[in-house]
Amino acid sequence: MTDIARLPPAGALSDLRTRVRRREPVDWTGIAFLTGLAIVILLPLIVTAVWAFAEVWRFPAIVPQRMGLGYWQETLTRNDVWQALWLSLSITTTVTVISAAICFPAAYAFARLDFPGRNVLFLAFLSVQAFPKFGLIVATATIFLTLHLVGTFWGVVLIQLVGTLLYMIWIPVSAFQGVDRRLEEAARDVGAGPMRVFWSITLPQALPTLAAALLITFVSTFYETDAAWLIGLPNVRTMPMVMISFINNALEVQYGAVLFVFLWVPSFVLMLAARRVMGADAFAKGLGG
Amino acid sequence: MNRREFLMVSTAATLAATTRFASAATRLDMYTSSDANISDFFSNIIKPAFESANSGTELNVVIARPQAALDAVVQRALAALSAKADPQLDFIEQYDPLLPAGGIDAGLWTDFSKAGLKNYGTLNKLAIQTPYGLPYRGSQVLLAYDTTKLAKDKVPKTFADLVAWIKANPGQFIYNRPDKGGSGNNFVNRVVHEVSGRDPSKFKVDNFDQATADDVLGKAWAVLNDLAPSLYDKGAYTAGNTASLQLLAQGAVTMIPAWSDQALQAIAKGVLPETTGLVQLTDLALCGDFSKAVIPTNAAHRDDALKLADFLLSQEMQTAIIEKLGGFPAVDWSSLPKDLHDKYADVIPSSIPTFPQGKWTTAVQDGWYRNVAPNISRT
Amino acid sequence: MISAPRSRVGGGGLSGLLLVALPVLLLLWLVLWPVLQAFVGTLYFPGKGFSAASYVYFFSDAYSLRNLWLTLWVTALTSILRVAAAMPIALYLRFRTGSIAALVQSLALFPLFVPSVLVAYAFIRVLGPNGIVDTLLVAVHLPKLPSPYLQPAGPIIGLVWEGLPLTLLLLLSGLGRVSTASVEAARDLGAGGVTIFTRIILPRIQSSIIVALAFNVLGLFSAFTLPYLLGPASPEMMGPYMQRTFSDNADPLNATTQAVITFAFCAAFGLIYVRAIAKGRKGLR
C-alpha cells in the first residue's frame, strides 16, 4: 500500500499547487494517465470495434482482409434488438428508482441510528451477492411461480431489485458515515432545522458517493442476466440477453462486436453525466468551496 | 451437391427475427440453447412448416443461450411441478433428460415411448438412450486441420497415427475441456474407446460400474497425460468448441477435434479459411451424438408439443435436417427416400459410434478434471 | 427521516427499524429464506437425519481444497492490483479539473460497460496467441510474446481490467470527503506528499477502501466467465467449480456445500467491513 501511495499524492499535490497558482499550461500527469489508459483500456475496445466491421481478419494481417457493413445490417434490422433495448432501459430505470427510494433512507438509518439488530441486518445484505445463484434457483422460482410473476415485466423488476440491495445499502452507508458531523452541528447551532441540515449539509456531502452507487446499480442492472433468464423467459428479453445469445458460443464474434459498439453511445453519454456529479467540481461544491 | 455447398446455401438465409406477438392462437414455447445455426433452422424452416401444418398453433422459438440460462429454466420447470404452476415451457429442442438430478424420478419429463407418437417406431434404435429424450438430429466429431501446415496425404488416419503426429509436432494440437463442449468430450471418449478395445457397445447408459470405470478410465488418463506435454502450451485446454475453432482460425494450432456441422459452417462463413481440411479416423470414428428433445409433463401445451415432436421425425423434417442443416437423420435410413441416401452416402455414414450420457459421462468429465487437467508442466 | 438526525445514537430505535423495513423484508423473503433452505438442505436429509458428510468430503478432498486455495490467492492478488491501479487515478481525478481529467475518468470507467463475455473475446483477440499484440510485434520484426491465454495470469489480467471502474468509483467517492482546504492547510504546514496521504487522506477514505475490498472479494469469489474462458482447466476458481459440480456433475448437494463454504469466506470479510463501520460511527461522533 505504501509503495503505491508514495508517488500519486505528490502528483496530486503538485496539481493542487498549480491550481493555487491558477494557471498550468500542460497537465503532464493527466497525459501520462491518458496514454496508459489508452493502451490498456482502448486497445481491446478498438480491436473489438474493428471486428464489428471485419468480415475476414486473420493473422498476420494488421487490418482485416475484408471489411463490410453486412453484420451491422443483419443485427440492427432485427426488431427484437430495438425492442430489447427499450425494454432494458425501462426495466433498469424502474429498478434503480425504486431501489433508491427504499434503500437510501435505510442506508441513512444504518449509518446514523441505533436500533436493535442493526449490525446483523446490515451484514445480512451481503448474502445478496455472496451466495451463488444456482443454489437459490428452485426456491426463488417457486416464489415467483406462485405469484404468477414468471415471464412478466414486474417479475424481472422485483428479482433485479433484490440484486441491487447490497450496492444501494452498503455504498451509501459509507457516504452518510463520512459526512462531517461538525458541519451539521454547526448548522444546527445557528438555528437550521433538521430537514434543512439534511438538504444543505448532509446530502451534498454524500452526493458523490450516492451518485456512484446509482451509476453502479444502473449499469449492473442493465447487464444483469442470471436472474433475468430465470424469471424473464419466455416473454421478457432484455438487451444483454439478446447480446449474450449472439456472443456465446457464436462462431462469428462480429454480432457481439456490433451490439457492443452500438451500446457505446449511451454508455459515453452516461459517463459524461457521471463526471458532472462525480467530478472535482462537484466535490468542491459539496464542500462549499 | 455436397454438404459444404448446401451449407453455404442454408447459411445464406438471413437470421429471421423471432416473432413475439401473442396472438389468440395457442403459443407453443420452444426453447433452445444450441448454436445460432440451430435456432435459425427452427425459425426459418421448422416454424413455418409446423404452423402451416397445424393452423391455430404458433411456434415461439425462445433462445436461451448460454446453457446456464436453459438450466435455470429447467430448474424452474421442476419447481413448477411441485408448485403445480405453469412452467411456461412446452418443449426443449435439446436437453439431457437425465438432468436435473432427480428430474425423471419426480416425473418431470414425458416418456416418449408411451406418448403415442406416430413416427416413434422409425427412430434409429442406436440413437435412443432413454425414452425421456427424443433424438431427432445427429452430428459427429472429426478432426479439422490446417492444410497449409499439414499436407492432406500426411494427415493421421488412425488413433495411433494421431498420437504419433501430436508427439512429433508439439504445441500444434488442442482439445477443449470435456464438459465444456462435445468436440473435446468425444476426443476423450475416443481415448476411452481406444483403451477398451474399440468397442463402443461396451458402454451403455445403464451399465456403469465403478470397478470397470476405475480400470478403463485409469488407462485413458495415462494416454491423455502422456499426450499433455505435446499439446498446445504444454497441456492447455480451451473452454469450448468455438474457442478451439478460433485457435485454429488464428493459426495458433494445426489440428483440433471439431463437430462436423460446426466446422463446415465455419468454413462456409469464412471463420475458418478455405484451406481447412477435415478428416475422420478410420480404425474407429470419433463419437457423434444425437440431440434429444424433451417435453415436461406439466407443460401447458403438452399435446401440441407432442405434435411438434412427431413432426420433427416426419420424413419432410428429417430430410430438411440432412439438406438444410448438414446434420444426420435420427430415423432409420430405411424410412427415408432411397435416392436421398444415395446422394449423401459419401458424407453421412450409416451409423456413428456414441458414448452414453449419465454416469459414464460424469465419470469421464469429473475424472478428467481430477486426473488430467492438473498435470501441466510450465517449464 | 426528519426526526432522525436529532435522535442521536441510543434513540431512534423505532424510526430506524421503519426506515430499513422495506429492504430488510425483501431480503428476508427473497434471499435469506432461500439461502437458509439451501443451507439446511446440506445438513439435514428428510428420513435420514443430520449429516455433515459433504463438508467432511470437501475439506478432505485435495482437489476441492486446491480450488479453494486458488480462489483465495487470486482474490487477494486481484483485489490488491485493482486498488493499486485505481488509487493513483482516483487521487489525480480528485484534485484535478479540466478536459483531460474528464477524458481520463471516462476511459477508466469504460470497462463498467463491457460485459464479461466481451472482455474475454477482446482479451483473446488482443493478448491471445496470434492476437493483435503478436500481429504488431511480428509486423516490426520482433519475437512474439508468450500469451497469458489459458495461463493463471489470463483471468487475473481480465479481472483487474473488468474490476477497475468499480474500485475507482468507490475510492473516488471516498476522496470526495477529503476537503481541499485540509490538504492545503497541511501543505502550508510543510507536510510532504506521503504524510498528507497517510495522515489526512487515508483516514478519511478508510471505509471506502474497505467497501472496495469487500465488493472485490464478493465479486471475485463468484467470478465465473473470465476464469472459465481465460484460465487454465485446473485448478478451477470456485465460481466455475461450483457451476460444474451443479450442472455437469448433477450434484446439487456438493455444489451447495461449496456454495455455503464460499459464503462463509465472504461473510468473514463482510464482518470486517461491518466492524469498520461500527468503529467509524464511534470515532466520528
Side-chain angles (χ1 to χ4, degrees), chain A residues 5 27 40 110 118 275 281, chain C residues 92 97 105 113 161 197 281:
Chain A
D27 180 2
V40 175
F110 276 120
R118 186 188 56 196
R275 176 68 190 165
D281 302 334
Chain C
Y92 163 76
T97 52
Q105 177 166 332
F113 299 90
W161 195 90
F197 182 73
R281 202 184 276 122

Side-chain angles (χ1 to χ4, degrees), chain B residues 300-311:
Chain B
H301 309 103
R302 188 165 166 272
D303 292 344
D304 294 290
L306 285 169
K307 271 188 212 158
L308 175 62
D310 225 358
F311 186 71

Side-chain angles (χ1 to χ4, degrees), chain C residues 147-202:
Chain C
S147 169
Y149 177 48
L150 300 178
Q151 302 266 1
I156 295 178
I157 296 173
L159 288 166
V160 170
W161 195 90
E162 190 191 37
L164 182 69
L166 182 77
T167 314
L168 179 66
L169 272 175
L170 292 173
L171 292 182
L172 202 51
S173 70
L175 282 171
R177 271 177 253 126
V178 181
S179 77
T180 311
S182 62
V183 175
E184 277 173 6
R187 183 87 231 164
D188 292 343
L189 291 172
V194 180
T195 318
I196 292 183
F197 182 73
T198 50
R199 292 287 178 79
I200 310 249
I201 296 178
L202 215 48

Side-chain angles (χ1 to χ4, degrees), chain B residues 223-237 372 375-376:
Chain B
V223 172
L224 289 167
N225 280 327
D226 183 42
L227 277 181
S230 309
L231 296 177
Y232 170 78
D233 211 8
K234 300 192 176 73
Y237 308 94
V372 180
N375 298 325
I376 188 161

Side-chain angles (χ1 to χ4, degrees), chain A:
Chain A
M1 221 33 203
T2 42
D3 288 346
I4 316 148
R6 209 149 286 149
L7 272 172
L13 283 174
S14 72
D15 291 343
L16 254 185
R17 241 175 297 148
T18 57
R19 236 168 61 124
V20 175
R21 267 195 271 118
R22 282 287 169 248
R23 205 89 213 115
E24 162 76 353
V26 188
D27 180 2
W28 288 114
T29 331
I31 288 169
F33 277 126
L34 208 56
T35 319
L37 287 173
I39 294 168
V40 175
I41 308 281
L42 271 190
L43 186 64
L45 300 183
I46 290 172
V47 173
T48 316
V50 176
W51 264 107
F53 298 94
E55 279 172 4
V56 176
W57 191 8
R58 277 190 210 101
F59 182 79
I62 297 180
V63 290
Q65 281 98 336
R66 202 169 73 223
M67 314 256 301
L69 290 171
Y71 285 98
W72 280 87
Q73 211 172 0
E74 258 183 63
T75 314
L76 297 187
T77 51
R78 292 177 61 120
N79 265 338
D80 57 348
V81 168
W82 293 98
Q83 282 173 356
L85 181 63
W86 178 243
L87 181 69
S88 274
L89 288 176
S90 35
I91 289 181
T92 308
T93 312
T94 314
V95 169
T96 311
V97 168
I98 298 179
S99 182
I102 65 170
C103 291
F104 285 173
Y108 186 83
F110 276 120
R112 293 300 189 79
L113 304 179
D114 216 359
F115 50 89
R118 186 188 56 196
N119 285 348
V120 175
L121 288 177
F122 182 69
L123 183 64
F125 281 97
L126 175 108
S127 51
V128 170
Q129 302 252 310
F131 203 86
K133 297 282 174 291
F134 69 81
L136 311 179
I137 289 177
V138 174
T140 314
T142 309
I143 295 171
F144 280 78
L145 280 164
T146 42
L147 292 175
H148 301 287
L149 282 173
V150 167
T152 66
F153 178 88
W154 289 105
V156 175
V157 167
L158 182 59
I159 189 86
Q160 292 199 328
L161 178 64
V162 173
T164 65
L165 291 178
L166 179 67
Y167 287 123
M168 291 293 263
I169 302 251
W170 277 33
I171 300 175
V173 161
S174 79
F176 290 123
Q177 195 66 58
V179 170
D180 196 332
R181 298 291 180 87
R182 286 163 304 183
L183 286 177
E184 289 181 356
E185 275 160 23
R188 241 190 313 260
D189 289 346
V190 296
M195 200 64 183
R196 178 89 202 268
V197 172
F198 181 79
W199 280 111
S200 33
I201 308 287
T202 318
L203 201 58
Q205 282 199 61
L207 201 61
T209 310
L210 297 185
L214 283 171
L215 180 66
I216 291 168
T217 302
F218 189 89
V219 177
S220 62
T221 306
F222 187 89
Y223 283 113
E224 198 283 332
T225 49
D226 286 351
W229 288 118
L230 176 65
I231 300 302
L233 287 179
N235 302 319
V236 178
R237 306 237 305 141
T238 63
M239 188 67 185
M241 285 159 84
V242 171
M243 215 168 148
I244 284 181
S245 53
F246 269 124
I247 304 169
N248 207 277
N249 287 345
L251 285 171
E252 305 101 316
V253 285
Q254 285 92 335
Y255 290 117
V258 167
L259 284 172
F260 172 66
V261 173
F262 173 63
L263 287 175
W264 275 11
V265 184
S267 306
F268 218 84
V269 171
L270 201 60
M271 205 100 62
L272 289 177
R275 176 68 190 165
R276 275 281 167 84
V277 190
M278 304 278 311
D281 302 334
F283 294 134
K285 229 178 275 163
L287 294 159

